[in-house]
Amino acid sequence: MNRQHQGLLRGLLAAVTFGLSAPLISTLTASGSPLSIAGLLYGGSALVLLAARSVLGKSNQESSVKRQDLGMLAMLTLIGGIAAPICLVSSLALLSAGSASLLLNLEAIFTMGIAIVVGREHLSSKGITAAVLILAGAVIIGGGTTTGPTLYGAVLIALACLGWGIDNNISQRLSIRDPIQVALLKSVGAAVPMLIVAGMAGARFPTPIETALFLVIGGIGYGLSIWLDLLALRELGAARESVIFATAPFVGAGFSVVVLKETMGSNLLAAGALMVGGIALLLLEDHAHWHRHSEEWHEHKHCHSPIDQDPHHAHEHPNGETDDTKQDQPLWHSHTHKHEPITHAHPHASDDHHRHQH
């Protein structure tokens, strides 16, 4: 499995885990205030990521967060980790689980628009067709399962999706750093202030059993999802990742119908077929052309292989650091290095190394 296909798989897993979280949260919104619930969700995210980091250990293959990254990290924590979840939890109290799940498709639209207009990312004709198919599927689902969401609830979800659209594009820039560290810092940075403010303001907290449920939902639907999503953003870019993540509302809507017994529209299967077709197109995408890389210095995880060396990382190392590459196994590590100017053709996505003009 090549790196782009790994990114697609991780993006799908991130979409599934997040897609299931919205309808589950909607069944518990009456148990506490939006601020306390959002804080508990990111508290669960932080706990799962702390456990993952303790089990996996600190990877010397990954680049740690740098001082120059703190501004972007603070912005995505404030917008995507605090403001957007509060808007989402508030909206879930006003909408049915299926309706809320479907309206989350706005996140893909905001993410893609920002990525293409601001981030100068590129989508091929297959990528655009895939986006249209997936979003068309969401529209069809919406025609069959929405049940009159209030304007206020819809506006709140739109604001949440806008926040996550900005978050996704910032996260893509940070995806060259250690994804567990980025996700953990975001989760702690969001959970701690929300829980402190909720406690000081006398906000209503859920019961101990409901609190445990929110921690579990947050751990899987936010912690695991954010980690997988950062890995997908690294390989795919924000525009392509948003197309894959557009399946999350479909997962949530399907869960609402099958498990929560909400009304099922006759067009649900047709919409699902469109979304599967869109994902298949992305899997078959092979965007390749001649392009030029300018000289660049940066730090990120990369590989040295004695069999098939990546031409971007054919650099020398002091003190014989890569002697292990003389063996059959590739060496993954992270350090500051220079990318030499190079012109070549190969399949690629709009990752940090391929933001060129087309």
Side-chain angles (χ1 to χ4, degrees):
M1 185 183 296
N2 63 35
R3 293 179 65 184
Q4 290 190 46
H5 287 178
Q6 290 178 20
L8 287 167
L9 177 59
R10 288 162 175 164
L12 280 172
L13 290 174
V16 169
T17 52
F18 178 74
L20 292 174
S21 69
L24 288 172
I25 296 168
S26 72
T27 65
L28 298 167
T29 52
S31 63
S33 71
L35 187 61
S36 65
I37 292 174
L40 289 171
L41 290 171
Y42 271 96
S45 173
L47 291 175
V48 164
L49 292 167
L50 277 171
R53 192 167 180 89
S54 65
V55 170
L56 298 176
K58 182 179 180 181
S59 174
N60 58 8
Q61 296 179 358
E62 295 284 358
S63 171
S64 298
V65 171
K66 309 300 179 186
R67 180 177 297 179
Q68 62 266 27
D69 302 324
L70 296 181
M72 288 192 295
L73 184 59
M75 187 180 299
L76 72 86
T77 300
L78 178 61
I79 297 174
I82 296 178
I86 291 175
C87 288
L88 175 67
V89 174
S90 299
S91 70
L92 291 175
L94 303 171
L95 305 170
S96 69
S99 299
S101 294
L102 297 172
L103 286 169
L104 286 172
N105 276 287
L106 292 171
E107 179 181 345
I109 297 173
F110 285 127
T111 300
M112 190 182 305
I114 295 169
I116 294 173
V117 175
V118 180
R120 301 170 66 86
E121 291 193 17
H122 171 73
L123 271 184
S124 67
S125 58
K126 281 186 179 179
I128 294 172
T129 304
V132 170
L133 287 174
I134 292 176
L135 294 177
V139 171
I140 291 177
I141 297 173
T145 62
T146 49
T147 54
T150 66
L151 177 61
Y152 184 50
V155 169
L156 284 172
I157 281 203
L159 289 174
C161 290
L162 175 60
W164 279 321
I166 297 170
D167 178 311
N168 289 335
N169 281 274
I170 297 174
S171 294
Q172 204 282 323
R173 304 290 176 164
L174 287 174
S175 63
I176 62 173
R177 306 302 185 206
D178 183 346
I180 290 187
Q181 184 186 23
V182 172
L184 179 57
L185 289 173
K186 174 185 176 180
S187 297
V188 173
V192 172
M194 282 195 287
L195 291 175
I196 290 176
V197 171
M200 294 178 63
R204 186 162 53 93
F205 276 79
T207 66
I209 293 178
E210 292 165 338
T211 294
L213 289 174
F214 279 122
L215 291 175
V216 172
I217 294 170
I220 298 173
Y222 285 69
L224 182 60
S225 181
I226 294 170
W227 179 16
L228 291 169
D229 195 48
L230 282 166
L231 292 170
L233 284 165
R234 173 186 288 180
E235 305 299 344
L236 302 176
R240 281 177 179 79
E241 182 276 342
S242 71
V243 176
I244 293 298
F245 209 77
T247 58
F250 172 70
V251 172
F255 182 85
S256 301
V257 170
V258 175
V259 179
L260 302 183
K261 306 301 181 183
E262 292 194 352
T263 304
M264 174 175 154
S266 60
N267 47 14
L268 185 63
L269 292 178
L274 285 173
M275 289 184 166
V276 170
I279 295 170
L281 270 180
L282 278 184
L283 287 170
L284 296 172
E285 185 182 29
D286 187 20
H287 177 67
H289 61 88
W290 282 96
H291 56 276
R292 175 175 173 77
H293 297 267
S294 300
E295 178 182 305
E296 181 181 12
W297 282 90
H298 66 173
E299 179 180 344
H300 65 94
K301 179 182 178 181
H302 59 280
C303 179
H304 296 280
S305 172
I307 300 173
D308 184 20
Q309 178 59 50
D310 177 1
H312 296 288
H313 299 105
H315 47 257
E316 297 294 329
H317 294 78
N319 305 320
E321 184 182 353
T322 57
D323 285 347
D324 290 340
T325 60
K326 295 176 183 178
Q327 304 174 7
D328 293 336
Q329 297 298 319
L331 171 67
W332 287 92
H333 67 172
S334 174
H335 63 93
T336 302
H337 58 277
K338 181 174 76 169
H339 285 248
E340 299 288 350
I342 184 174
T343 301
H344 60 174
H346 64 94
H348 58 276
S350 292
D351 55 28
D352 274 348
H353 296 95
H354 296 94
R355 297 186 183 276
H356 47 254
Q357 294 296 320
H358 291 77

